PDB file of all heavy atoms in Angstrom:
ATOM      1  N   LYS A   1     -66.522  -5.208 -54.584  1.00  0.00           N
ATOM      2  CA  LYS A   1     -65.287  -5.986 -54.611  1.00  0.00           C
ATOM      3  C   LYS A   1     -64.402  -5.547 -53.445  1.00  0.00           C
ATOM      4  O   LYS A   1     -64.115  -4.361 -53.293  1.00  0.00           O
ATOM      5  CB  LYS A   1     -64.558  -5.786 -55.936  1.00  0.00           C
ATOM      6  CG  LYS A   1     -63.316  -6.655 -56.109  1.00  0.00           C
ATOM      7  CD  LYS A   1     -62.723  -6.472 -57.501  1.00  0.00           C
ATOM      8  CE  LYS A   1     -61.577  -7.443 -57.745  1.00  0.00           C
ATOM      9  NZ  LYS A   1     -60.414  -7.177 -56.871  1.00  0.00           N
ATOM     10  N   VAL A   2     -63.964  -6.499 -52.659  1.00  0.00           N
ATOM     11  CA  VAL A   2     -63.099  -6.213 -51.516  1.00  0.00           C
ATOM     12  C   VAL A   2     -61.783  -6.949 -51.708  1.00  0.00           C
ATOM     13  O   VAL A   2     -61.744  -8.178 -51.777  1.00  0.00           O
ATOM     14  CB  VAL A   2     -63.747  -6.646 -50.191  1.00  0.00           C
ATOM     15  CG1 VAL A   2     -62.815  -6.337 -49.019  1.00  0.00           C
ATOM     16  CG2 VAL A   2     -65.088  -5.957 -49.993  1.00  0.00           C
ATOM     17  N   ASP A   3     -60.696  -6.196 -51.819  1.00  0.00           N
ATOM     18  CA  ASP A   3     -59.359  -6.786 -51.848  1.00  0.00           C
ATOM     19  C   ASP A   3     -58.787  -6.726 -50.444  1.00  0.00           C
ATOM     20  O   ASP A   3     -58.898  -5.693 -49.760  1.00  0.00           O
ATOM     21  CB  ASP A   3     -58.459  -6.021 -52.821  1.00  0.00           C
ATOM     22  CG  ASP A   3     -58.869  -6.246 -54.268  1.00  0.00           C
ATOM     23  OD1 ASP A   3     -58.703  -7.375 -54.760  1.00  0.00           O
ATOM     24  OD2 ASP A   3     -59.370  -5.292 -54.900  1.00  0.00           O
ATOM     25  N   TYR A   4     -58.164  -7.817 -50.021  1.00  0.00           N
ATOM     26  CA  TYR A   4     -57.671  -7.937 -48.648  1.00  0.00           C
ATOM     27  C   TYR A   4     -56.172  -8.223 -48.680  1.00  0.00           C
ATOM     28  O   TYR A   4     -55.723  -9.150 -49.353  1.00  0.00           O
ATOM     29  CB  TYR A   4     -58.415  -9.055 -47.936  1.00  0.00           C
ATOM     30  CG  TYR A   4     -57.914  -9.383 -46.549  1.00  0.00           C
ATOM     31  CD1 TYR A   4     -58.148  -8.517 -45.480  1.00  0.00           C
ATOM     32  CD2 TYR A   4     -57.232 -10.567 -46.298  1.00  0.00           C
ATOM     33  CE1 TYR A   4     -57.711  -8.824 -44.201  1.00  0.00           C
ATOM     34  CE2 TYR A   4     -56.796 -10.887 -45.023  1.00  0.00           C
ATOM     35  CZ  TYR A   4     -57.033 -10.016 -43.976  1.00  0.00           C
ATOM     36  OH  TYR A   4     -56.597 -10.327 -42.709  1.00  0.00           O
ATOM     37  N   GLU A   5     -55.413  -7.403 -47.975  1.00  0.00           N
ATOM     38  CA  GLU A   5     -53.967  -7.592 -47.862  1.00  0.00           C
ATOM     39  C   GLU A   5     -53.617  -7.820 -46.400  1.00  0.00           C
ATOM     40  O   GLU A   5     -53.746  -6.911 -45.568  1.00  0.00           O
ATOM     41  CB  GLU A   5     -53.217  -6.362 -48.385  1.00  0.00           C
ATOM     42  CG  GLU A   5     -53.253  -6.187 -49.894  1.00  0.00           C
ATOM     43  CD  GLU A   5     -52.267  -7.107 -50.619  1.00  0.00           C
ATOM     44  OE1 GLU A   5     -51.368  -7.672 -49.928  1.00  0.00           O
ATOM     45  OE2 GLU A   5     -52.392  -7.255 -51.843  1.00  0.00           O
ATOM     46  N   SER A   6     -53.194  -9.036 -46.080  1.00  0.00           N
ATOM     47  CA  SER A   6     -52.755  -9.347 -44.727  1.00  0.00           C
ATOM     48  C   SER A   6     -51.253  -9.115 -44.636  1.00  0.00           C
ATOM     49  O   SER A   6     -50.465  -9.774 -45.321  1.00  0.00           O
ATOM     50  CB  SER A   6     -53.078 -10.808 -44.390  1.00  0.00           C
ATOM     51  OG  SER A   6     -52.593 -11.142 -43.105  1.00  0.00           O
ATOM     52  N   VAL A   7     -50.864  -8.158 -43.793  1.00  0.00           N
ATOM     53  CA  VAL A   7     -49.443  -7.830 -43.612  1.00  0.00           C
ATOM     54  C   VAL A   7     -49.149  -7.806 -42.109  1.00  0.00           C
ATOM     55  O   VAL A   7     -48.968  -6.739 -41.517  1.00  0.00           O
ATOM     56  CB  VAL A   7     -49.080  -6.493 -44.284  1.00  0.00           C
ATOM     57  CG1 VAL A   7     -48.857  -6.665 -45.767  1.00  0.00           C
ATOM     58  CG2 VAL A   7     -50.170  -5.432 -44.071  1.00  0.00           C
ATOM     59  N   PRO A   8     -49.130  -8.972 -41.466  1.00  0.00           N
ATOM     60  CA  PRO A   8     -49.032  -9.034 -40.004  1.00  0.00           C
ATOM     61  C   PRO A   8     -47.716  -8.528 -39.429  1.00  0.00           C
ATOM     62  O   PRO A   8     -47.634  -8.301 -38.220  1.00  0.00           O
ATOM     63  CB  PRO A   8     -49.225 -10.525 -39.703  1.00  0.00           C
ATOM     64  CG  PRO A   8     -48.873 -11.230 -40.966  1.00  0.00           C
ATOM     65  CD  PRO A   8     -49.276 -10.312 -42.070  1.00  0.00           C
ATOM     66  N   ASP A   9     -46.715  -8.331 -40.290  1.00  0.00           N
ATOM     67  CA  ASP A   9     -45.455  -7.782 -39.787  1.00  0.00           C
ATOM     68  C   ASP A   9     -45.385  -6.264 -39.942  1.00  0.00           C
ATOM     69  O   ASP A   9     -44.386  -5.638 -39.591  1.00  0.00           O
ATOM     70  CB  ASP A   9     -44.268  -8.418 -40.510  1.00  0.00           C
ATOM     71  CG  ASP A   9     -44.294  -8.197 -42.014  1.00  0.00           C
ATOM     72  OD1 ASP A   9     -45.407  -8.106 -42.589  1.00  0.00           O
ATOM     73  OD2 ASP A   9     -43.210  -8.130 -42.627  1.00  0.00           O
ATOM     74  N   ALA A  10     -46.446  -5.658 -40.452  1.00  0.00           N
ATOM     75  CA  ALA A  10     -46.469  -4.203 -40.650  1.00  0.00           C
ATOM     76  C   ALA A  10     -46.963  -3.502 -39.393  1.00  0.00           C
ATOM     77  O   ALA A  10     -47.806  -4.026 -38.657  1.00  0.00           O
ATOM     78  CB  ALA A  10     -47.367  -3.841 -41.828  1.00  0.00           C
ATOM     79  N   SER A  11     -46.463  -2.307 -39.152  1.00  0.00           N
ATOM     80  CA  SER A  11     -46.951  -1.507 -38.031  1.00  0.00           C
ATOM     81  C   SER A  11     -48.342  -0.975 -38.342  1.00  0.00           C
ATOM     82  O   SER A  11     -48.800  -1.005 -39.488  1.00  0.00           O
ATOM     83  CB  SER A  11     -46.002  -0.339 -37.745  1.00  0.00           C
ATOM     84  OG  SER A  11     -46.122   0.657 -38.756  1.00  0.00           O
ATOM     85  N   HIS A  12     -49.001  -0.483 -37.308  1.00  0.00           N
ATOM     86  CA  HIS A  12     -50.356   0.050 -37.491  1.00  0.00           C
ATOM     87  C   HIS A  12     -50.367   1.166 -38.531  1.00  0.00           C
ATOM     88  O   HIS A  12     -51.272   1.230 -39.370  1.00  0.00           O
ATOM     89  CB  HIS A  12     -50.869   0.554 -36.146  1.00  0.00           C
ATOM     90  CG  HIS A  12     -52.246   1.120 -36.181  1.00  0.00           C
ATOM     91  ND1 HIS A  12     -53.320   0.469 -36.771  1.00  0.00           N
ATOM     92  CD2 HIS A  12     -52.747   2.300 -35.701  1.00  0.00           C
ATOM     93  CE1 HIS A  12     -54.408   1.207 -36.644  1.00  0.00           C
ATOM     94  NE2 HIS A  12     -54.092   2.313 -36.010  1.00  0.00           N
ATOM     95  N   MET A  13     -49.376   2.026 -38.500  1.00  0.00           N
ATOM     96  CA  MET A  13     -49.298   3.138 -39.455  1.00  0.00           C
ATOM     97  C   MET A  13     -48.248   2.813 -40.513  1.00  0.00           C
ATOM     98  O   MET A  13     -47.191   3.436 -40.579  1.00  0.00           O
ATOM     99  CB  MET A  13     -48.983   4.443 -38.729  1.00  0.00           C
ATOM    100  CG  MET A  13     -50.079   4.883 -37.782  1.00  0.00           C
ATOM    101  SD  MET A  13     -49.827   6.515 -37.043  1.00  0.00           S
ATOM    102  CE  MET A  13     -48.453   6.169 -35.942  1.00  0.00           C
ATOM    103  N   MET A  14     -48.530   1.837 -41.342  1.00  0.00           N
ATOM    104  CA  MET A  14     -47.574   1.414 -42.362  1.00  0.00           C
ATOM    105  C   MET A  14     -47.224   2.555 -43.306  1.00  0.00           C
ATOM    106  O   MET A  14     -46.092   2.657 -43.777  1.00  0.00           O
ATOM    107  CB  MET A  14     -48.129   0.228 -43.146  1.00  0.00           C
ATOM    108  CG  MET A  14     -47.213  -0.294 -44.247  1.00  0.00           C
ATOM    109  SD  MET A  14     -47.767  -1.855 -44.970  1.00  0.00           S
ATOM    110  CE  MET A  14     -49.385  -1.403 -45.614  1.00  0.00           C
ATOM    111  N   HIS A  15     -48.190   3.426 -43.599  1.00  0.00           N
ATOM    112  CA  HIS A  15     -47.914   4.539 -44.514  1.00  0.00           C
ATOM    113  C   HIS A  15     -46.796   5.416 -43.985  1.00  0.00           C
ATOM    114  O   HIS A  15     -46.067   6.052 -44.755  1.00  0.00           O
ATOM    115  CB  HIS A  15     -49.178   5.381 -44.728  1.00  0.00           C
ATOM    116  CG  HIS A  15     -49.602   6.137 -43.511  1.00  0.00           C
ATOM    117  ND1 HIS A  15     -50.355   5.568 -42.504  1.00  0.00           N
ATOM    118  CD2 HIS A  15     -49.367   7.420 -43.123  1.00  0.00           C
ATOM    119  CE1 HIS A  15     -50.564   6.468 -41.561  1.00  0.00           C
ATOM    120  NE2 HIS A  15     -49.986   7.597 -41.907  1.00  0.00           N
ATOM    121  N   GLN A  16     -46.620   5.448 -42.664  1.00  0.00           N
ATOM    122  CA  GLN A  16     -45.580   6.268 -42.053  1.00  0.00           C
ATOM    123  C   GLN A  16     -44.286   5.488 -41.854  1.00  0.00           C
ATOM    124  O   GLN A  16     -43.203   5.990 -42.148  1.00  0.00           O
ATOM    125  CB  GLN A  16     -46.073   6.804 -40.712  1.00  0.00           C
ATOM    126  CG  GLN A  16     -45.094   7.725 -40.000  1.00  0.00           C
ATOM    127  CD  GLN A  16     -45.658   8.207 -38.675  1.00  0.00           C
ATOM    128  OE1 GLN A  16     -45.851   7.425 -37.745  1.00  0.00           O
ATOM    129  NE2 GLN A  16     -45.938   9.496 -38.591  1.00  0.00           N
ATOM    130  N   SER A  17     -44.405   4.255 -41.364  1.00  0.00           N
ATOM    131  CA  SER A  17     -43.200   3.489 -41.031  1.00  0.00           C
ATOM    132  C   SER A  17     -42.573   2.815 -42.247  1.00  0.00           C
ATOM    133  O   SER A  17     -41.362   2.569 -42.265  1.00  0.00           O
ATOM    134  CB  SER A  17     -43.529   2.425 -39.979  1.00  0.00           C
ATOM    135  OG  SER A  17     -44.492   1.506 -40.478  1.00  0.00           O
ATOM    136  N   ASP A  18     -43.364   2.488 -43.244  1.00  0.00           N
ATOM    137  CA  ASP A  18     -42.849   1.810 -44.440  1.00  0.00           C
ATOM    138  C   ASP A  18     -43.596   2.322 -45.668  1.00  0.00           C
ATOM    139  O   ASP A  18     -44.376   1.597 -46.293  1.00  0.00           O
ATOM    140  CB  ASP A  18     -43.033   0.299 -44.290  1.00  0.00           C
ATOM    141  CG  ASP A  18     -42.222  -0.503 -45.312  1.00  0.00           C
ATOM    142  OD1 ASP A  18     -41.652   0.117 -46.232  1.00  0.00           O
ATOM    143  OD2 ASP A  18     -42.190  -1.737 -45.187  1.00  0.00           O
ATOM    144  N   PRO A  19     -43.362   3.592 -46.030  1.00  0.00           N
ATOM    145  CA  PRO A  19     -44.143   4.188 -47.122  1.00  0.00           C
ATOM    146  C   PRO A  19     -43.960   3.489 -48.460  1.00  0.00           C
ATOM    147  O   PRO A  19     -44.891   3.457 -49.270  1.00  0.00           O
ATOM    148  CB  PRO A  19     -43.655   5.640 -47.161  1.00  0.00           C
ATOM    149  CG  PRO A  19     -42.336   5.636 -46.453  1.00  0.00           C
ATOM    150  CD  PRO A  19     -42.429   4.555 -45.419  1.00  0.00           C
ATOM    151  N   ALA A  20     -42.768   2.922 -48.706  1.00  0.00           N
ATOM    152  CA  ALA A  20     -42.549   2.246 -49.984  1.00  0.00           C
ATOM    153  C   ALA A  20     -43.463   1.021 -50.101  1.00  0.00           C
ATOM    154  O   ALA A  20     -44.077   0.781 -51.153  1.00  0.00           O
ATOM    155  CB  ALA A  20     -41.084   1.841 -50.110  1.00  0.00           C
ATOM    156  N   ARG A  21     -43.562   0.254 -49.029  1.00  0.00           N
ATOM    157  CA  ARG A  21     -44.430  -0.923 -49.034  1.00  0.00           C
ATOM    158  C   ARG A  21     -45.893  -0.510 -49.166  1.00  0.00           C
ATOM    159  O   ARG A  21     -46.668  -1.139 -49.894  1.00  0.00           O
ATOM    160  CB  ARG A  21     -44.208  -1.718 -47.758  1.00  0.00           C
ATOM    161  CG  ARG A  21     -44.928  -3.050 -47.710  1.00  0.00           C
ATOM    162  CD  ARG A  21     -44.631  -3.751 -46.391  1.00  0.00           C
ATOM    163  NE  ARG A  21     -45.082  -5.117 -46.376  1.00  0.00           N
ATOM    164  CZ  ARG A  21     -45.003  -5.914 -45.307  1.00  0.00           C
ATOM    165  NH1 ARG A  21     -44.476  -5.456 -44.179  1.00  0.00           N
ATOM    166  NH2 ARG A  21     -45.425  -7.155 -45.356  1.00  0.00           N
ATOM    167  N   TYR A  22     -46.250   0.539 -48.465  1.00  0.00           N
ATOM    168  CA  TYR A  22     -47.619   1.064 -48.545  1.00  0.00           C
ATOM    169  C   TYR A  22     -47.946   1.449 -49.984  1.00  0.00           C
ATOM    170  O   TYR A  22     -49.015   1.090 -50.508  1.00  0.00           O
ATOM    171  CB  TYR A  22     -47.731   2.265 -47.618  1.00  0.00           C
ATOM    172  CG  TYR A  22     -49.028   3.027 -47.685  1.00  0.00           C
ATOM    173  CD1 TYR A  22     -50.153   2.594 -46.992  1.00  0.00           C
ATOM    174  CD2 TYR A  22     -49.133   4.209 -48.426  1.00  0.00           C
ATOM    175  CE1 TYR A  22     -51.346   3.297 -47.033  1.00  0.00           C
ATOM    176  CE2 TYR A  22     -50.317   4.918 -48.472  1.00  0.00           C
ATOM    177  CZ  TYR A  22     -51.422   4.456 -47.778  1.00  0.00           C
ATOM    178  OH  TYR A  22     -52.596   5.164 -47.826  1.00  0.00           O
ATOM    179  N   ALA A  23     -47.032   2.144 -50.636  1.00  0.00           N
ATOM    180  CA  ALA A  23     -47.265   2.570 -52.019  1.00  0.00           C
ATOM    181  C   ALA A  23     -47.341   1.374 -52.961  1.00  0.00           C
ATOM    182  O   ALA A  23     -48.127   1.384 -53.923  1.00  0.00           O
ATOM    183  CB  ALA A  23     -46.159   3.518 -52.465  1.00  0.00           C
ATOM    184  N   GLU A  24     -46.553   0.337 -52.696  1.00  0.00           N
ATOM    185  CA  GLU A  24     -46.587  -0.861 -53.536  1.00  0.00           C
ATOM    186  C   GLU A  24     -47.952  -1.559 -53.470  1.00  0.00           C
ATOM    187  O   GLU A  24     -48.377  -2.187 -54.439  1.00  0.00           O
ATOM    188  CB  GLU A  24     -45.492  -1.838 -53.095  1.00  0.00           C
ATOM    189  CG  GLU A  24     -44.085  -1.391 -53.469  1.00  0.00           C
ATOM    190  CD  GLU A  24     -43.025  -2.302 -52.875  1.00  0.00           C
ATOM    191  OE1 GLU A  24     -43.401  -3.304 -52.199  1.00  0.00           O
ATOM    192  OE2 GLU A  24     -41.833  -2.036 -53.069  1.00  0.00           O
ATOM    193  N   ILE A  25     -48.609  -1.463 -52.327  1.00  0.00           N
ATOM    194  CA  ILE A  25     -49.926  -2.077 -52.171  1.00  0.00           C
ATOM    195  C   ILE A  25     -51.012  -1.188 -52.762  1.00  0.00           C
ATOM    196  O   ILE A  25     -51.905  -1.654 -53.477  1.00  0.00           O
ATOM    197  CB  ILE A  25     -50.207  -2.362 -50.682  1.00  0.00           C
ATOM    198  CG1 ILE A  25     -49.244  -3.444 -50.161  1.00  0.00           C
ATOM    199  CG2 ILE A  25     -51.657  -2.790 -50.468  1.00  0.00           C
ATOM    200  CD1 ILE A  25     -49.317  -3.647 -48.654  1.00  0.00           C
ATOM    201  N   LEU A  26     -50.946   0.102 -52.461  1.00  0.00           N
ATOM    202  CA  LEU A  26     -52.001   1.027 -52.870  1.00  0.00           C
ATOM    203  C   LEU A  26     -51.980   1.339 -54.364  1.00  0.00           C
ATOM    204  O   LEU A  26     -53.032   1.347 -55.010  1.00  0.00           O
ATOM    205  CB  LEU A  26     -51.885   2.331 -52.069  1.00  0.00           C
ATOM    206  CG  LEU A  26     -52.764   3.501 -52.521  1.00  0.00           C
ATOM    207  CD1 LEU A  26     -54.242   3.144 -52.428  1.00  0.00           C
ATOM    208  CD2 LEU A  26     -52.454   4.752 -51.699  1.00  0.00           C
ATOM    209  N   THR A  27     -50.809   1.585 -54.934  1.00  0.00           N
ATOM    210  CA  THR A  27     -50.727   2.141 -56.287  1.00  0.00           C
ATOM    211  C   THR A  27     -51.359   1.244 -57.351  1.00  0.00           C
ATOM    212  O   THR A  27     -52.196   1.709 -58.138  1.00  0.00           O
ATOM    213  CB  THR A  27     -49.275   2.472 -56.638  1.00  0.00           C
ATOM    214  OG1 THR A  27     -48.749   3.380 -55.655  1.00  0.00           O
ATOM    215  CG2 THR A  27     -49.181   3.114 -58.019  1.00  0.00           C
ATOM    216  N   PRO A  28     -50.997  -0.055 -57.430  1.00  0.00           N
ATOM    217  CA  PRO A  28     -51.633  -0.866 -58.477  1.00  0.00           C
ATOM    218  C   PRO A  28     -53.122  -1.071 -58.259  1.00  0.00           C
ATOM    219  O   PRO A  28     -53.888  -1.162 -59.241  1.00  0.00           O
ATOM    220  CB  PRO A  28     -50.870  -2.202 -58.402  1.00  0.00           C
ATOM    221  CG  PRO A  28     -50.241  -2.217 -57.043  1.00  0.00           C
ATOM    222  CD  PRO A  28     -49.960  -0.793 -56.703  1.00  0.00           C
ATOM    223  N   TRP A  29     -53.547  -1.129 -57.012  1.00  0.00           N
ATOM    224  CA  TRP A  29     -54.974  -1.273 -56.750  1.00  0.00           C
ATOM    225  C   TRP A  29     -55.725  -0.034 -57.226  1.00  0.00           C
ATOM    226  O   TRP A  29     -56.753  -0.140 -57.912  1.00  0.00           O
ATOM    227  CB  TRP A  29     -55.207  -1.482 -55.245  1.00  0.00           C
ATOM    228  CG  TRP A  29     -56.660  -1.466 -54.860  1.00  0.00           C
ATOM    229  CD1 TRP A  29     -57.545  -2.497 -54.964  1.00  0.00           C
ATOM    230  CD2 TRP A  29     -57.384  -0.347 -54.327  1.00  0.00           C
ATOM    231  NE1 TRP A  29     -58.788  -2.100 -54.515  1.00  0.00           N
ATOM    232  CE2 TRP A  29     -58.719  -0.792 -54.127  1.00  0.00           C
ATOM    233  CE3 TRP A  29     -57.043   0.957 -54.004  1.00  0.00           C
ATOM    234  CZ2 TRP A  29     -59.705   0.057 -53.610  1.00  0.00           C
ATOM    235  CZ3 TRP A  29     -58.024   1.789 -53.490  1.00  0.00           C
ATOM    236  CH2 TRP A  29     -59.329   1.328 -53.313  1.00  0.00           C
ATOM    237  N   ALA A  30     -55.215   1.143 -56.894  1.00  0.00           N
ATOM    238  CA  ALA A  30     -55.879   2.385 -57.305  1.00  0.00           C
ATOM    239  C   ALA A  30     -55.861   2.532 -58.827  1.00  0.00           C
ATOM    240  O   ALA A  30     -56.829   3.024 -59.418  1.00  0.00           O
ATOM    241  CB  ALA A  30     -55.209   3.577 -56.642  1.00  0.00           C
ATOM    242  N   ALA A  31     -54.763   2.102 -59.461  1.00  0.00           N
ATOM    243  CA  ALA A  31     -54.652   2.248 -60.923  1.00  0.00           C
ATOM    244  C   ALA A  31     -55.664   1.372 -61.653  1.00  0.00           C
ATOM    245  O   ALA A  31     -56.063   1.687 -62.769  1.00  0.00           O
ATOM    246  CB  ALA A  31     -53.244   1.884 -61.370  1.00  0.00           C
ATOM    247  N   ALA A  32     -56.101   0.300 -61.003  1.00  0.00           N
ATOM    248  CA  ALA A  32     -57.042  -0.621 -61.648  1.00  0.00           C
ATOM    249  C   ALA A  32     -58.504  -0.213 -61.458  1.00  0.00           C
ATOM    250  O   ALA A  32     -59.402  -0.829 -62.036  1.00  0.00           O
ATOM    251  CB  ALA A  32     -56.840  -2.035 -61.096  1.00  0.00           C
ATOM    252  N   LEU A  33     -58.747   0.840 -60.667  1.00  0.00           N
ATOM    253  CA  LEU A  33     -60.114   1.276 -60.443  1.00  0.00           C
ATOM    254  C   LEU A  33     -60.700   1.919 -61.698  1.00  0.00           C
ATOM    255  O   LEU A  33     -59.979   2.525 -62.486  1.00  0.00           O
ATOM    256  CB  LEU A  33     -60.164   2.292 -59.293  1.00  0.00           C
ATOM    257  CG  LEU A  33     -59.831   1.767 -57.896  1.00  0.00           C
ATOM    258  CD1 LEU A  33     -59.763   2.926 -56.905  1.00  0.00           C
ATOM    259  CD2 LEU A  33     -60.863   0.732 -57.436  1.00  0.00           C
ATOM    260  N   ALA A  34     -61.982   1.792 -61.826  1.00  0.00           N
ATOM    261  CA  ALA A  34     -62.653   2.462 -62.943  1.00  0.00           C
ATOM    262  C   ALA A  34     -62.516   3.972 -62.806  1.00  0.00           C
ATOM    263  O   ALA A  34     -62.582   4.504 -61.680  1.00  0.00           O
ATOM    264  CB  ALA A  34     -64.128   2.074 -62.979  1.00  0.00           C
ATOM    265  N   PRO A  35     -62.311   4.699 -63.899  1.00  0.00           N
ATOM    266  CA  PRO A  35     -62.166   6.168 -63.804  1.00  0.00           C
ATOM    267  C   PRO A  35     -63.454   6.832 -63.379  1.00  0.00           C
ATOM    268  O   PRO A  35     -64.526   6.283 -63.482  1.00  0.00           O
ATOM    269  CB  PRO A  35     -61.766   6.562 -65.246  1.00  0.00           C
ATOM    270  CG  PRO A  35     -62.291   5.458 -66.102  1.00  0.00           C
ATOM    271  CD  PRO A  35     -62.235   4.210 -65.272  1.00  0.00           C
TER     272      PRO A  35
END
């Protein structure tokens, strides 16, 4: 399964420049993974 998030207004290092947005994308996806 491949989830794709297109964020063309984000910088290359979104985790650094916009950590809140990065966490909003990563956190629910990671929480839905099988343990």
Side-chain angles (χ1 to χ4, degrees):
K1 185 175 186 294
V2 180
D3 290 292
Y4 174 72
E5 288 281 346
S6 177
V7 279
D9 59 329
S11 73
H12 180 49
M13 295 187 290
M14 180 170 60
H15 68 277
Q16 182 180 66
S17 62
D18 194 351
R21 187 180 191 184
Y22 174 82
E24 287 173 2
I25 293 172
L26 170 61
T27 303
W29 173 81
L33 293 173

